[in-house]
Coordinates of all heavy atoms in Angstrom, one line a residue:
M159 N 145.3 -147.1 -23.3 CA 144.2 -147.5 -24.2 C 144.8 -147.9 -25.6 O 145.6 -147.1 -26.1 CB 143.1 -146.4 -24.4 CG 141.9 -146.9 -25.2 SD 140.8 -145.5 -25.5 CE 141.7 -144.5 -26.6
S160 N 144.5 -149.1 -26.1 CA 145.1 -149.4 -27.4 C 144.3 -148.7 -28.5 O 143.1 -148.5 -28.4 CB 145.1 -150.9 -27.6 OG 143.8 -151.4 -27.6
L161 N 145.1 -148.5 -29.6 CA 144.5 -147.8 -30.7 C 144.1 -148.8 -31.8 O 144.8 -149.8 -32.0 CB 145.5 -146.8 -31.3 CG 145.7 -145.6 -30.3 CD1 147.0 -144.8 -30.8 CD2 144.5 -144.7 -30.3
P162 N 143.1 -148.5 -32.6 CA 142.7 -149.5 -33.6 C 143.6 -149.5 -34.8 O 144.3 -148.5 -35.1 CB 141.3 -148.9 -34.0 CG 141.3 -147.5 -33.7 CD 142.2 -147.3 -32.5
A163 N 143.7 -150.6 -35.4 CA 144.5 -150.7 -36.7 C 143.6 -150.1 -37.8 O 142.5 -150.4 -37.9 CB 144.8 -152.2 -37.0
V164 N 144.3 -149.2 -38.6 CA 143.6 -148.6 -39.7 C 144.5 -148.4 -40.8 O 145.6 -147.9 -40.7 CB 143.1 -147.2 -39.2 CG1 142.7 -146.3 -40.4 CG2 141.9 -147.2 -38.3
S165 N 144.1 -148.9 -42.0 CA 145.0 -148.7 -43.2 C 144.3 -147.8 -44.2 O 144.9 -147.5 -45.2 CB 145.4 -150.0 -43.8 OG 144.2 -150.7 -44.1
D166 N 143.0 -147.5 -43.9 CA 142.3 -146.6 -44.8 C 142.4 -145.2 -44.5 O 142.0 -144.8 -43.4 CB 140.8 -147.1 -44.8 CG 139.9 -146.3 -45.7 OD1 140.4 -145.3 -46.3 OD2 138.7 -146.6 -45.7
L167 N 143.0 -144.4 -45.3 CA 143.2 -143.0 -45.0 C 142.0 -142.2 -44.7 O 142.0 -141.2 -44.0 CB 143.9 -142.3 -46.2 CG 145.5 -142.5 -46.3 CD1 146.0 -141.8 -47.6 CD2 146.1 -141.9 -45.1
N168 N 140.8 -142.7 -45.3 CA 139.6 -142.0 -45.0 C 139.2 -142.0 -43.5 O 138.3 -141.3 -43.1 CB 138.4 -142.6 -45.9 CG 138.7 -142.4 -47.3 OD1 139.2 -141.3 -47.7 ND2 138.3 -143.3 -48.2
R169 N 139.8 -142.9 -42.8 CA 139.5 -143.0 -41.4 C 140.4 -142.1 -40.5 O 140.3 -142.2 -39.3 CB 139.7 -144.5 -40.9 CG 138.9 -145.5 -41.7 CD 137.6 -145.8 -40.9 NE 137.0 -147.0 -41.5 CZ 137.3 -148.2 -41.0 NH1 138.1 -148.4 -40.0 NH2 136.7 -149.3 -41.6
L170 N 141.3 -141.4 -41.1 CA 142.2 -140.6 -40.4 C 142.1 -139.1 -40.7 O 142.0 -138.7 -41.9 CB 143.7 -141.0 -40.7 CG 144.0 -142.5 -40.4 CD1 145.4 -142.8 -40.9 CD2 143.9 -142.8 -38.9
S171 N 142.1 -138.2 -39.7 CA 142.2 -136.8 -39.9 C 143.1 -136.2 -39.0 O 143.2 -136.5 -37.8 CB 140.8 -136.1 -39.7 OG 139.8 -136.7 -40.5
L172 N 143.9 -135.2 -39.5 CA 144.9 -134.5 -38.6 C 144.4 -133.1 -38.3 O 144.3 -132.3 -39.1 CB 146.2 -134.5 -39.3 CG 147.4 -133.9 -38.5 CD1 147.7 -134.9 -37.3 CD2 148.6 -133.5 -39.3
Y173 N 144.1 -132.9 -37.0 CA 143.8 -131.6 -36.5 C 145.1 -130.9 -36.3 O 146.1 -131.4 -35.6 CB 143.0 -131.7 -35.2 CG 141.6 -132.2 -35.5 CD1 141.3 -133.5 -35.8 CD2 140.5 -131.3 -35.5 CE1 140.1 -133.9 -36.1 CE2 139.2 -131.7 -35.9 CZ 139.0 -133.0 -36.2 OH 137.8 -133.4 -36.5
M174 N 145.2 -129.7 -36.8 CA 146.5 -129.0 -36.9 C 146.3 -127.5 -37.0 O 145.2 -127.0 -37.2 CB 147.3 -129.5 -38.0 CG 146.6 -129.7 -39.4 SD 146.2 -128.2 -40.2 CE 147.8 -127.7 -40.8
R175 N 147.5 -126.8 -36.9 CA 147.6 -125.4 -37.3 C 148.8 -125.3 -38.1 O 149.9 -125.8 -37.7 CB 147.7 -124.5 -36.0 CG 146.4 -124.0 -35.5 CD 146.5 -122.9 -34.5 NE 147.3 -123.1 -33.3 CZ 148.5 -122.6 -33.0 NH1 149.0 -121.7 -33.8 NH2 149.1 -122.9 -31.9
P176 N 148.8 -124.6 -39.3 CA 150.0 -124.5 -40.1 C 151.2 -123.9 -39.4 O 152.3 -124.3 -39.8 CB 149.5 -123.6 -41.3 CG 148.0 -123.7 -41.3 CD 147.6 -123.9 -39.8
S177 N 151.0 -123.0 -38.5 CA 152.1 -122.4 -37.8 C 152.7 -123.2 -36.7 O 153.7 -122.7 -36.1 CB 151.7 -121.0 -37.3 OG 150.6 -121.2 -36.4
C178 N 152.2 -124.3 -36.4 CA 152.6 -125.1 -35.2 C 153.8 -126.0 -35.7 O 153.6 -126.9 -36.6 CB 151.4 -126.0 -34.7 SG 151.9 -127.3 -33.7
P179 N 155.0 -125.9 -35.0 CA 156.1 -126.7 -35.5 C 155.9 -128.2 -35.3 O 156.5 -129.0 -36.0 CB 157.2 -126.2 -34.6 CG 156.6 -125.4 -33.4 CD 155.3 -124.9 -33.9
Y180 N 155.1 -128.6 -34.3 CA 154.9 -130.0 -34.1 C 154.0 -130.6 -35.2 O 154.1 -131.7 -35.6 CB 154.3 -130.2 -32.7 CG 155.1 -129.7 -31.6 CD1 154.9 -128.4 -31.1 CD2 156.2 -130.4 -31.1 CE1 155.7 -127.9 -30.1 CE2 157.1 -129.8 -30.2 CZ 156.8 -128.6 -29.6 OH 157.6 -128.1 -28.7
C181 N 153.1 -129.7 -35.7 CA 152.2 -130.1 -36.8 C 153.1 -130.2 -38.1 O 152.9 -131.1 -38.9 CB 151.1 -129.1 -37.0 SG 150.0 -128.9 -35.6
V182 N 154.0 -129.3 -38.2 CA 154.9 -129.3 -39.4 C 155.7 -130.6 -39.3 O 156.0 -131.2 -40.4 CB 155.8 -128.1 -39.4 CG1 156.9 -128.2 -40.5 CG2 155.0 -126.8 -39.6
R183 N 156.1 -131.0 -38.1 CA 156.9 -132.3 -38.0 C 156.1 -133.4 -38.6 O 156.6 -134.3 -39.3 CB 157.2 -132.5 -36.5 CG 157.9 -133.8 -36.2 CD 157.8 -134.1 -34.7 NE 159.0 -133.6 -34.1 CZ 159.1 -133.5 -32.7 NH1 158.1 -133.8 -31.9 NH2 160.2 -133.0 -32.2
V184 N 154.8 -133.5 -38.2 CA 154.0 -134.6 -38.7 C 153.7 -134.5 -40.2 O 153.8 -135.4 -41.0 CB 152.6 -134.6 -38.0 CG1 151.7 -135.7 -38.6 CG2 152.8 -134.9 -36.5
A185 N 153.5 -133.2 -40.7 CA 153.3 -133.0 -42.1 C 154.5 -133.4 -42.9 O 154.4 -134.0 -44.0 CB 152.9 -131.5 -42.3
D186 N 155.7 -133.0 -42.4 CA 157.0 -133.4 -43.1 C 157.1 -134.9 -43.2 O 157.4 -135.5 -44.3 CB 158.2 -132.8 -42.4 CG 158.3 -131.3 -42.6 OD1 157.6 -130.8 -43.4 OD2 159.2 -130.7 -41.9
F187 N 156.8 -135.6 -42.1 CA 156.8 -137.1 -42.1 C 155.9 -137.6 -43.2 O 156.2 -138.5 -44.0 CB 156.5 -137.7 -40.8 CG 156.3 -139.1 -40.8 CD1 157.3 -140.0 -40.9 CD2 155.0 -139.6 -40.9 CE1 157.1 -141.4 -41.1 CE2 154.7 -141.0 -41.0 CZ 155.8 -141.9 -41.1
C188 N 154.6 -137.1 -43.2 CA 153.6 -137.6 -44.1 C 154.0 -137.3 -45.5 O 153.8 -138.1 -46.4 CB 152.3 -136.9 -43.8 SG 151.5 -137.5 -42.3
G189 N 154.6 -136.1 -45.8 CA 155.1 -135.8 -47.1 C 156.2 -136.8 -47.6 O 156.1 -137.3 -48.7
Q190 N 157.1 -137.1 -46.7 CA 158.2 -138.1 -47.1 C 157.6 -139.5 -47.3 O 158.1 -140.2 -48.2 CB 159.3 -138.1 -46.0 CG 160.2 -136.9 -46.0 CD 160.9 -136.7 -44.7 OE1 161.0 -137.7 -43.9 NE2 161.5 -135.6 -44.4
A191 N 156.7 -139.8 -46.4 CA 156.1 -141.2 -46.5 C 155.0 -141.3 -47.5 O 154.4 -142.4 -47.7 CB 155.6 -141.6 -45.1
E192 N 154.6 -140.2 -48.1 CA 153.5 -140.1 -49.1 C 152.2 -140.6 -48.5 O 151.5 -141.4 -49.1 CB 153.9 -140.9 -50.4 CG 155.1 -140.3 -51.0 CD 155.5 -140.9 -52.3 OE1 154.9 -142.0 -52.7 OE2 156.4 -140.4 -53.0
I193 N 151.9 -140.1 -47.3 CA 150.7 -140.4 -46.6 C 149.9 -139.1 -46.7 O 150.2 -138.1 -46.1 CB 150.9 -140.8 -45.2 CG1 151.7 -142.1 -45.1 CG2 149.5 -141.0 -44.5 CD1 152.1 -142.4 -43.7
A194 N 148.8 -139.1 -47.5 CA 148.0 -137.9 -47.7 C 146.8 -137.8 -46.7 O 145.7 -138.2 -47.0 CB 147.5 -137.8 -49.1
L195 N 147.2 -137.3 -45.5 CA 146.2 -137.2 -44.4 C 145.3 -136.0 -44.7 O 145.7 -135.0 -45.2 CB 146.8 -136.9 -43.1 CG 147.5 -138.0 -42.3 CD1 148.0 -137.5 -41.0 CD2 146.6 -139.2 -42.2
E196 N 144.0 -136.1 -44.3 CA 143.1 -134.9 -44.4 C 143.5 -134.0 -43.2 O 143.6 -134.5 -42.1 CB 141.7 -135.4 -44.2 CG 140.7 -134.1 -44.3 CD 139.3 -134.5 -44.1 OE1 138.9 -135.5 -44.6 OE2 138.6 -133.7 -43.5
N197 N 143.8 -132.8 -43.5 CA 144.2 -131.8 -42.5 C 142.9 -131.0 -42.1 O 142.2 -130.5 -43.0 CB 145.2 -130.8 -43.1 CG 146.6 -131.5 -43.1 OD1 146.9 -132.4 -42.4 ND2 147.5 -131.0 -43.9
R198 N 142.8 -130.8 -40.8 CA 141.7 -130.0 -40.3 C 142.3 -128.8 -39.5 O 142.8 -129.1 -38.3 CB 140.7 -130.8 -39.5 CG 140.0 -131.8 -40.4 CD 139.0 -132.6 -39.7 NE 138.3 -133.4 -40.7 CZ 137.4 -134.4 -40.4 NH1 137.1 -134.6 -39.1 NH2 136.8 -135.1 -41.3
N199 N 142.3 -127.7 -40.0 CA 142.9 -126.5 -39.4 C 142.0 -126.0 -38.3 O 140.8 -125.6 -38.6 CB 143.1 -125.4 -40.5 CG 143.9 -124.3 -40.0 OD1 144.0 -124.0 -38.8 ND2 144.5 -123.5 -40.9
I200 N 142.5 -125.9 -37.1 CA 141.6 -125.5 -36.0 C 141.4 -124.0 -35.9 O 140.7 -123.5 -35.0 CB 142.2 -126.0 -34.6 CG1 143.5 -125.4 -34.3 CG2 142.2 -127.5 -34.5 CD1 143.9 -125.6 -32.8
A201 N 141.9 -123.3 -36.9 CA 141.5 -121.9 -37.1 C 140.1 -121.8 -37.5 O 139.4 -120.8 -37.3 CB 142.4 -121.2 -38.1
E202 N 139.6 -122.9 -38.1 CA 138.2 -123.0 -38.4 C 137.4 -123.5 -37.2 O 137.7 -124.6 -36.7 CB 138.0 -124.0 -39.6 CG 138.5 -123.5 -40.9 CD 138.2 -124.4 -42.1 OE1 137.1 -124.9 -42.2 OE2 139.1 -124.7 -42.8
G203 N 136.4 -122.8 -36.8 CA 135.7 -123.0 -35.6 C 135.1 -124.4 -35.5 O 135.2 -125.1 -34.4
I204 N 134.6 -124.9 -36.6 CA 134.0 -126.2 -36.6 C 135.0 -127.3 -36.2 O 134.7 -128.3 -35.5 CB 133.3 -126.5 -37.9 CG1 132.4 -127.7 -37.8 CG2 134.3 -126.6 -39.1 CD1 131.5 -127.9 -39.0
H205 N 136.3 -127.2 -36.7 CA 137.3 -128.1 -36.4 C 137.8 -128.0 -34.9 O 138.1 -129.0 -34.3 CB 138.5 -128.0 -37.4 CG 138.1 -128.3 -38.8 ND1 137.1 -129.3 -39.1 CD2 138.4 -127.8 -40.0 CE1 137.0 -129.3 -40.4 NE2 137.8 -128.4 -41.0
L206 N 137.9 -126.8 -34.5 CA 138.4 -126.6 -33.1 C 137.3 -127.2 -32.1 O 137.7 -127.9 -31.2 CB 138.5 -125.1 -32.8 CG 138.9 -124.8 -31.3 CD1 140.2 -125.4 -30.9 CD2 139.0 -123.2 -31.1
E207 N 136.1 -127.0 -32.5 CA 135.0 -127.5 -31.6 C 135.0 -129.1 -31.6 O 134.9 -129.7 -30.5 CB 133.7 -127.0 -32.1 CG 132.6 -127.2 -31.1 CD 131.2 -126.7 -31.6 OE1 131.2 -125.6 -32.3 OE2 130.2 -127.3 -31.4
A208 N 135.2 -129.6 -32.8 CA 135.3 -131.1 -32.9 C 136.5 -131.7 -32.1 O 136.3 -132.7 -31.4 CB 135.4 -131.5 -34.3
L209 N 137.6 -131.0 -32.1 CA 138.8 -131.4 -31.4 C 138.5 -131.3 -29.9 O 138.8 -132.2 -29.1 CB 140.0 -130.5 -31.8 CG 141.3 -130.8 -31.0 CD1 141.8 -132.2 -31.3 CD2 142.3 -129.7 -31.3
M210 N 138.0 -130.2 -29.4 CA 137.7 -130.0 -28.0 C 136.7 -131.0 -27.5 O 136.9 -131.5 -26.4 CB 137.2 -128.5 -27.8 CG 138.2 -127.4 -28.1 SD 139.6 -127.4 -27.0 CE 138.7 -126.9 -25.5
T211 N 135.7 -131.2 -28.2 CA 134.6 -132.1 -27.8 C 135.1 -133.6 -27.8 O 134.9 -134.3 -26.9 CB 133.4 -132.0 -28.7 OG1 133.0 -130.6 -28.8 CG2 132.2 -132.8 -28.2
G212 N 135.8 -133.9 -28.9 CA 136.2 -135.3 -29.1 C 137.4 -135.7 -28.4 O 137.5 -136.6 -27.6
G213 N 138.5 -134.8 -28.6 CA 139.8 -135.1 -28.0 C 139.9 -134.7 -26.5 O 140.6 -135.3 -25.8
G214 N 139.2 -133.6 -26.2 CA 139.2 -133.2 -24.8 C 140.1 -132.0 -24.5 O 140.0 -131.4 -23.4
K215 N 141.0 -131.7 -25.4 CA 141.9 -130.5 -25.2 C 142.2 -129.9 -26.5 O 142.1 -130.5 -27.6 CB 143.1 -130.8 -24.4 CG 144.0 -131.9 -24.9 CD 145.2 -132.2 -24.0 CE 146.0 -133.4 -24.5 NZ 147.2 -133.7 -23.7
R216 N 142.7 -128.6 -26.4 CA 143.0 -127.8 -27.6 C 144.3 -128.1 -28.3 O 144.6 -127.5 -29.4 CB 142.9 -126.3 -27.1 CG 142.9 -125.3 -28.1 CD 143.2 -123.9 -27.6 NE 143.7 -123.1 -28.7 CZ 142.8 -122.3 -29.3 NH1 141.6 -122.1 -28.9 NH2 143.3 -121.6 -30.3
Q217 N 145.1 -128.9 -27.8 CA 146.4 -129.1 -28.3 C 146.5 -129.7 -29.7 O 145.7 -130.6 -30.0 CB 147.2 -130.0 -27.3 CG 148.7 -130.3 -27.7 CD 149.3 -131.1 -26.6 OE1 149.3 -130.8 -25.5 NE2 149.8 -132.3 -27.0
V218 N 147.4 -129.2 -30.6 CA 147.6 -129.8 -31.9 C 149.1 -130.1 -32.0 O 149.9 -129.5 -31.3 CB 147.2 -128.9 -33.0 CG1 145.7 -128.8 -33.2 CG2 147.8 -127.4 -32.9
P219 N 149.5 -131.1 -32.8 CA 148.6 -131.9 -33.7 C 147.9 -133.0 -32.9 O 148.3 -133.4 -31.8 CB 149.6 -132.6 -34.6 CG 150.9 -132.7 -33.8 CD 150.9 -131.5 -32.9
C220 N 146.8 -133.4 -33.5 CA 146.0 -134.5 -32.9 C 145.4 -135.3 -34.1 O 144.8 -134.7 -35.0 CB 144.9 -134.0 -32.0 SG 143.9 -135.3 -31.3
L221 N 145.6 -136.6 -34.0 CA 145.1 -137.5 -35.1 C 143.8 -138.1 -34.6 O 143.8 -138.8 -33.6 CB 146.1 -138.6 -35.4 CG 145.8 -139.5 -36.6 CD1 145.9 -138.7 -37.9 CD2 146.8 -140.7 -36.6
Q222 N 142.8 -137.9 -35.4 CA 141.5 -138.6 -35.2 C 141.5 -139.9 -36.0 O 141.8 -139.9 -37.2 CB 140.3 -137.7 -35.6 CG 139.0 -138.4 -35.4 CD 137.8 -137.6 -35.9 OE1 138.0 -136.7 -36.7 NE2 136.6 -137.9 -35.5
I223 N 141.2 -141.0 -35.3 CA 141.2 -142.3 -35.9 C 139.8 -142.9 -35.7 O 139.3 -143.0 -34.6 CB 142.2 -143.2 -35.2 CG1 143.6 -142.6 -35.1 CG2 142.3 -144.6 -35.8 CD1 144.5 -143.2 -34.0
I224 N 139.2 -143.3 -36.8 CA 137.8 -143.8 -36.7 C 137.9 -145.3 -36.9 O 138.5 -145.8 -37.9 CB 136.9 -143.2 -37.7 CG1 136.8 -141.7 -37.4 CG2 135.5 -143.8 -37.7 CD1 136.0 -140.9 -38.4
D225 N 137.4 -146.1 -35.9 CA 137.6 -147.5 -36.0 C 136.4 -148.2 -36.8 O 135.6 -147.5 -37.3 CB 137.7 -148.1 -34.6 CG 136.4 -148.0 -33.7 OD1 135.4 -147.8 -34.3 OD2 136.5 -148.1 -32.5
D226 N 136.5 -149.5 -36.8 CA 135.5 -150.2 -37.6 C 134.0 -150.0 -37.2 O 133.1 -150.2 -38.0 CB 135.8 -151.8 -37.6 CG 137.0 -152.1 -38.3 OD1 137.5 -151.3 -39.2 OD2 137.5 -153.2 -38.1
Q227 N 133.9 -149.7 -35.9 CA 132.5 -149.4 -35.4 C 132.1 -148.0 -35.5 O 131.0 -147.6 -35.1 CB 132.5 -149.8 -33.9 CG 132.4 -151.3 -33.6 CD 133.7 -152.0 -33.9 OE1 134.8 -151.5 -33.5 NE2 133.7 -153.1 -34.5
G228 N 133.0 -147.2 -36.1 CA 132.7 -145.8 -36.3 C 133.0 -144.9 -35.1 O 132.6 -143.7 -35.1
Q229 N 133.7 -145.5 -34.1 CA 134.0 -144.7 -32.9 C 135.4 -144.0 -33.1 O 136.3 -144.6 -33.7 CB 134.2 -145.7 -31.8 CG 134.3 -145.0 -30.4 CD 134.5 -146.0 -29.3 OE1 134.1 -147.2 -29.4 NE2 135.1 -145.5 -28.2
S230 N 135.4 -142.8 -32.6 CA 136.6 -142.0 -32.8 C 137.6 -142.2 -31.6 O 137.2 -142.3 -30.5 CB 136.3 -140.5 -32.8 OG 135.7 -140.2 -34.1
H231 N 138.9 -142.2 -32.0 CA 140.0 -142.3 -31.0 C 140.9 -141.0 -31.3 O 141.0 -140.7 -32.5 CB 140.8 -143.5 -31.2 CG 140.0 -144.8 -31.0 ND1 140.0 -145.6 -29.9 CD2 139.0 -145.3 -31.9 CE1 139.2 -146.6 -30.0 NE2 138.6 -146.5 -31.2
W232 N 141.4 -140.4 -30.3 CA 142.1 -139.2 -30.5 C 143.6 -139.3 -30.0 O 143.8 -139.6 -28.8 CB 141.4 -138.0 -29.8 CG 140.0 -137.9 -30.3 CD1 138.9 -138.6 -29.9 CD2 139.5 -136.9 -31.2 NE1 137.8 -138.1 -30.6 CE2 138.2 -137.1 -31.4 CE3 140.2 -135.9 -32.0 CZ2 137.4 -136.3 -32.3 CZ3 139.4 -135.2 -32.9 CH2 138.0 -135.4 -33.0
L233 N 144.5 -139.2 -30.9 CA 145.9 -139.4 -30.5 C 146.7 -138.0 -30.6 O 146.8 -137.4 -31.7 CB 146.5 -140.4 -31.5 CG 148.0 -140.7 -31.3 CD1 148.3 -141.3 -29.9 CD2 148.5 -141.7 -32.4
Y234 N 147.1 -137.6 -29.4 CA 147.9 -136.4 -29.3 C 149.4 -136.7 -29.4 O 149.7 -137.9 -29.3 CB 147.6 -135.6 -28.0 CG 146.2 -135.0 -27.9 CD1 145.1 -135.6 -27.4 CD2 146.1 -133.7 -28.4 CE1 143.9 -135.0 -27.3 CE2 144.8 -133.1 -28.4 CZ 143.7 -133.7 -27.8 OH 142.5 -133.1 -27.8
E235 N 150.2 -135.7 -29.5 CA 151.7 -135.8 -29.5 C 152.2 -136.2 -30.8 O 152.0 -137.4 -31.3 CB 152.2 -136.8 -28.4 CG 151.9 -136.4 -27.0 CD 152.7 -135.1 -26.6 OE1 153.8 -134.9 -27.1 OE2 152.2 -134.3 -25.8
S236 N 153.0 -135.3 -31.4 CA 153.5 -135.5 -32.8 C 154.3 -136.8 -32.9 O 154.1 -137.5 -33.9 CB 154.4 -134.3 -33.2 OG 155.4 -134.1 -32.2
L237 N 155.2 -137.1 -31.9 CA 156.0 -138.3 -32.1 C 155.1 -139.6 -32.0 O 155.4 -140.6 -32.7 CB 157.1 -138.4 -31.1 CG 158.2 -137.3 -31.3 CD1 159.3 -137.4 -30.2 CD2 158.8 -137.3 -32.7
D238 N 154.1 -139.5 -31.2 CA 153.2 -140.7 -31.1 C 152.4 -140.9 -32.4 O 152.1 -142.0 -32.8 CB 152.2 -140.5 -29.9 CG 153.0 -140.6 -28.5 OD1 154.1 -141.1 -28.5 OD2 152.4 -140.2 -27.5
I239 N 152.0 -139.7 -33.0 CA 151.2 -139.8 -34.2 C 152.1 -140.4 -35.3 O 151.7 -141.3 -36.1 CB 150.8 -138.4 -34.6 CG1 149.7 -137.9 -33.6 CG2 150.2 -138.4 -36.1 CD1 149.4 -136.4 -33.8
I240 N 153.4 -139.9 -35.4 CA 154.3 -140.5 -36.4 C 154.5 -142.0 -36.1 O 154.5 -142.8 -37.1 CB 155.6 -139.7 -36.4 CG1 155.4 -138.3 -36.9 CG2 156.7 -140.4 -37.2 CD1 156.5 -137.3 -36.8
G241 N 154.7 -142.4 -34.9 CA 154.9 -143.8 -34.5 C 153.7 -144.6 -35.0 O 153.9 -145.7 -35.5
Y242 N 152.5 -144.1 -34.7 CA 151.3 -144.8 -35.1 C 151.2 -145.0 -36.6 O 150.9 -146.1 -37.1 CB 150.1 -144.0 -34.6 CG 148.8 -144.6 -35.0 CD1 148.2 -145.7 -34.4 CD2 148.1 -144.1 -36.1 CE1 147.0 -146.3 -34.8 CE2 146.9 -144.6 -36.6 CZ 146.3 -145.7 -35.9 OH 145.2 -146.2 -36.4
L243 N 151.5 -143.9 -37.3 CA 151.4 -144.0 -38.8 C 152.5 -144.9 -39.4 O 152.2 -145.7 -40.3 CB 151.6 -142.6 -39.4 CG 150.5 -141.6 -39.1 CD1 150.9 -140.2 -39.6 CD2 149.2 -142.0 -39.8
K244 N 153.7 -144.9 -38.8 CA 154.7 -145.9 -39.2 C 154.2 -147.3 -39.1 O 154.4 -148.1 -39.9 CB 156.0 -145.7 -38.4 CG 156.8 -144.5 -38.8 CD 158.1 -144.4 -38.0 CE 159.0 -143.3 -38.5 NZ 160.2 -143.1 -37.6
Q245 N 153.6 -147.5 -37.9 CA 153.1 -148.9 -37.6 C 152.0 -149.3 -38.6 O 152.0 -150.4 -39.2 CB 152.6 -148.9 -36.2 CG 152.4 -150.2 -35.6 CD 152.0 -150.1 -34.1 OE1 151.2 -149.2 -33.8 NE2 152.5 -151.0 -33.3
Q246 N 151.1 -148.4 -38.8 CA 149.9 -148.7 -39.7 C 150.3 -148.9 -41.1 O 149.7 -149.7 -41.8 CB 148.8 -147.6 -39.6 CG 148.3 -147.4 -38.2 CD 147.7 -148.7 -37.6 OE1 147.0 -149.4 -38.2 NE2 148.2 -149.1 -36.4
F247 N 151.2 -148.1 -41.6 CA 151.6 -148.2 -43.0 C 152.9 -148.9 -43.2 O 153.5 -148.8 -44.3 CB 151.6 -146.8 -43.6 CG 150.2 -146.1 -43.6 CD1 149.8 -145.3 -42.5 CD2 149.3 -146.4 -44.5 CE1 148.5 -144.7 -42.5 CE2 148.0 -145.9 -44.5 CZ 147.6 -145.0 -43.5
A248 N 153.4 -149.6 -42.2 CA 154.6 -150.5 -42.3 C 155.7 -149.7 -42.9 O 156.3 -150.2 -43.9 CB 154.2 -151.7 -43.1
I249 N 156.0 -148.5 -42.4 CA 157.1 -147.7 -42.9 C 158.4 -147.9 -42.1 O 158.3 -147.8 -40.8 CB 156.7 -146.2 -42.9 CG1 155.5 -146.1 -43.9 CG2 157.9 -145.4 -43.3 CD1 154.8 -144.8 -43.7
Ligands
GSH1438 N1 154.6 -132.3 -27.3 C1 153.5 -131.9 -28.2 C2 153.5 -130.3 -28.2 C3 152.3 -129.8 -29.0 C4 152.1 -128.3 -28.7 O1 152.8 -127.7 -27.9 N2 151.2 -127.7 -29.6 C5 150.9 -126.3 -29.4 C6 151.0 -125.6 -30.7 S1 152.7 -125.5 -31.3 C7 149.5 -126.2 -28.9 O2 148.6 -127.0 -29.3 N3 149.1 -125.2 -28.2 C8 147.8 -124.9 -27.8 C9 147.1 -124.0 -28.8 O3 147.7 -123.7 -29.9 O4 146.0 -123.6 -28.5 C10 153.7 -132.5 -29.5 O5 154.9 -133.0 -29.8 O6 152.8 -132.7 -30.3

């Protein structure tokens, strides 16, 4: 499934846990690239529930991407998330 093009940070949220090394990998990339993603820690029940319902599994990191129609797309895998961000922000 192809992912929507998004350049507005308000359309992106990163579901994560601070202790997860794969989440740290994405956070480190975002820090270097100066991409200030909204982080949603799945230790908070509301975020875990949103991830499970929307994305379909508990794994983090997961990037939620909201398209022009307001529909959510869920991207798992740290390297795929970084690749997507590089593409969207032309890094
Ligand atoms: N290959 C995945 C690995 C992700 C992964 O293993 N995440 C762990 C946390 S470090 C996870 O979500 N485990 C399930 C859980 O924490 O409930 C990636 O690079 O993102």
Side-chain angles (χ1 to χ4, degrees):
M159 187 185 68
S160 65
L161 293 165
V164 164
S165 57
D166 180 355
L167 277 177
N168 293 325
R169 303 263 196 92
L170 303 175
S171 300
L172 185 69
Y173 286 77
M174 46 70 74
R175 272 196 296 116
S177 59
C178 162
Y180 304 97
C181 301
V182 171
R183 173 193 270 168
V184 175
D186 284 351
F187 167 77
C188 288
Q190 284 163 17
E192 298 183 353
I193 299 171
L195 284 185
E196 180 181 323
N197 283 336
R198 296 188 173 167
N199 188 339
I200 62 163
E202 290 182 47
I204 191 169
H205 295 325
L206 177 58
E207 195 179 323
L209 175 66
M210 296 289 293
T211 306
K215 57 181 175 177
R216 192 195 158 95
Q217 183 176 301
V218 285
C220 181
L221 185 68
Q222 180 187 14
I223 305 158
I224 300 179
D225 67 20
D226 289 343
Q227 284 71 44
Q229 188 182 340
S230 287
H231 302 254
W232 300 83
L233 178 61
Y234 288 94
E235 293 295 328
S236 54
L237 293 180
D238 290 344
I239 293 169
I240 290 170
Y242 174 80
L243 293 171
K244 280 184 176 171
Q245 199 176 36
Q246 297 307 309
F247 295 96
I249 295 163

